[in-house]
Amino acid sequence: MSHLIDAGPRLAATAGASSLGVGVPGYAHPLVAPAEWAELARPEAPLHWAVLNVARGPGIQPDPHCLEAAGRLTNAGVRVLGLLDTRLGTRPFGELISDAHHFLDWYKVDGFYLDRCPPDRAVLQETKRVAATLRALLEEAYLVFGHGTHPYPGYAEWADQLVTFAGSWADYRWSQVAEWTAEYAPQRFCHLVHGVPRLHLEEAVRIARWQGAGTVYFTDRTARGRGADPWEALPGYWDEIVSRIGPGVSE
């Protein structure tokens, strides 16, 4: 069982000094959110990766608008990750790999974002099987496990990055970090936080550094309302994020 420690003690030199970048968990379709997709290709945007979510996966056939958007990001040096919904480990293996094939064939993605990735030790073996197969399909595949919470530590050995927080600003302000994460570099962890007020953006950046996260996504949009998705559109302070975090480099 992993222990939790307060954010403050993570002010180690490596965590405090490391530069942050942005991971985008997936905007709405390019026809619905053209400005969002255009912004991701800005040369100074500090992007580590962006998720392509056509229809909770690759969709049933190639989408030319998504292909164009993904191509622009790839040409701008941004990793494009296809979304694979694991449904907390209940999705059949064959379905996941079929979706992965479609993402590679239709959109030439650079890796995969395993959404709703299970955090439990009991499902680690099956997740390892999925990860190993994805890397066999694409040798340099960049894998992000979207747990949204601290998983069993063994998951860290099979992903390039773990999403160890996904939730509201109200929860993030008082969040704690698992002690075992101190054994890994900041670029191994990502935090996704919605409902962050503009006045608290600096505080959110500070918490991410304290907790040793190398990739973040902060937005003032919220999950309130039926079907509301806080990740579908740009935050109102996107320009401030770009200037505060600085130019990003794919690592």
Side-chain angles (χ1 to χ4, degrees):
M1 179 180 296
S2 60
H3 300 285
L4 295 175
I5 59 177
D6 291 331
R10 285 302 301 272
L11 277 171
T14 54
S18 105
S19 60
L20 284 176
V22 174
V24 178
Y27 288 140
H29 191 279
L31 288 180
V32 177
E36 278 77 357
W37 287 96
E39 278 295 314
L40 294 185
R42 273 172 63 173
E44 69 272 26
L47 288 175
H48 287 169
W49 45 261
V51 174
L52 181 63
N53 178 10
V54 182
R56 294 303 299 164
I60 58 175
Q61 62 186 13
D63 184 316
H65 305 289
C66 290
L67 175 60
E68 181 183 358
R72 283 200 304 267
L73 293 189
T74 299
N75 291 337
V78 178
R79 289 192 187 97
V80 178
L81 308 181
L83 184 141
L84 301 177
D85 186 0
T86 73
R87 294 203 299 254
L88 295 176
T90 64
R91 187 94 181 277
F93 174 82
E95 287 186 13
L96 287 170
I97 302 308
S98 176
D99 277 0
H101 274 290
H102 288 148
F103 268 121
L104 290 171
D105 293 342
W106 297 345
Y107 306 111
K108 312 302 179 187
V109 297
D110 304 296
F112 303 96
Y113 183 97
L114 275 63
D115 196 30
R116 294 196 286 178
C117 191
D120 307 317
R121 182 176 184 174
V123 199
L124 174 59
Q125 197 64 33
E126 182 61 18
T127 306
K128 287 166 56 176
R129 179 188 178 203
V130 172
T133 304
L134 294 176
R135 294 195 191 280
L137 293 178
L138 181 63
E139 185 176 354
E140 299 297 324
Y142 192 84
L143 302 183
V144 177
F145 289 179
H147 303 286
T149 187
H150 287 95
Y152 175 72
Y155 283 93
E157 303 304 318
W158 292 90
D160 293 284
Q161 194 169 70
L162 305 178
V163 177
T164 53
F165 183 92
S168 71
W169 169 240
D171 292 333
Y172 190 59
R173 294 188 77 182
W174 307 108
S175 64
Q176 296 178 310
V177 62
E179 187 174 309
W180 62 263
T181 62
E183 301 175 9
Y184 296 89
Q187 63 262 31
R188 302 296 304 282
F189 303 103
C190 173
H191 295 168
L192 310 175
V193 191
H194 59 74
V196 182
R198 180 188 297 270
L199 292 176
H200 291 280
L201 183 56
E202 183 175 348
E203 181 183 354
V205 170
R206 189 164 61 245
I207 291 172
R209 293 189 188 280
W210 285 347
Q211 294 199 10
T215 302
V216 297
Y217 188 80
F218 300 135
T219 180
D220 50 353
R221 300 183 182 276
T222 69
R224 295 173 189 157
R226 179 176 297 179
D229 185 345
W231 319 121
E232 282 192 336
L234 279 172
Y237 40 63
W238 174 251
D239 286 340
E240 189 171 347
I241 289 177
V242 171
S243 62
R244 184 179 296 276
I245 294 180
V249 178
S250 293
E251 296 170 358

